[in-house]
């Protein structure tokens, strides 16, 4: 856990120091996208090799759909409430 926090802090410090260098920022964005794609590929491989997940995919997918729909509905309702409460047009 300490290693994770130290790496995050080092990244913040490096980002602060290099925030005005557009070349570094562009390279960082490209590397970040590539890393995310690789992580998604590895996650897909892990899911594909897990027999429990594959056999229960229908049930897991339905539960994920219900949770996603609830999260979207809650976000929309809360956003509407915040908008009506704080951003009234007079």
């Amino acid at each position: 856990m300490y290693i994770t926090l130290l790496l995050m802090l080092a990244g913040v410090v490096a980002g602060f120091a290099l925030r005005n260098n557009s070349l570094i920022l562009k390279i960082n964005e490209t590397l970040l996208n590539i890393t995310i794609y690789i992580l998604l590929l590895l996650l897909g491989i892990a899911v594909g090799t897990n027999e429990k997940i594959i056999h229960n995919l229908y049930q897991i997918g339905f539960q994920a759909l219900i949770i996603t729909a609830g999260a979207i509905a809650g976000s929309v309702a809360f956003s509407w409430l915040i908008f009506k409460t704080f951003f009234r047009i007079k």
Side-chain angles (χ1 to χ4, degrees):
M1 169 124 165
Y2 292 121
I3 293 173
T4 304
L5 291 175
L6 287 173
L7 286 172
M8 184 69 146
L9 182 61
V12 169
V13 170
F16 185 76
L18 300 171
R19 70 184 181 276
N20 295 324
N21 190 334
S22 61
L23 177 63
I24 295 293
L25 293 177
K26 187 170 182 164
I27 291 171
N28 182 52
E29 183 178 338
T30 303
L31 288 175
L32 184 61
N33 285 335
I34 291 170
T35 303
I36 290 171
Y37 295 145
I38 291 170
L39 286 172
L40 287 171
L41 175 69
L42 293 174
L43 178 64
I45 291 170
V47 167
T49 58
N50 190 327
E51 293 290 329
K52 279 186 177 179
I53 293 175
I54 296 300
H55 285 92
N56 296 315
L57 197 56
Y58 178 76
Q59 181 181 2
I60 293 170
F62 183 70
Q63 289 173 350
L65 179 67
I66 297 297
I67 291 169
T68 301
I72 290 171
S75 295
V76 169
F78 190 69
S79 297
W80 178 81
L81 180 67
I82 294 296
F83 179 77
K84 289 292 185 180
T85 305
F86 295 109
F87 298 102
R88 290 187 191 164
I89 299 174
K90 296 180 182 179

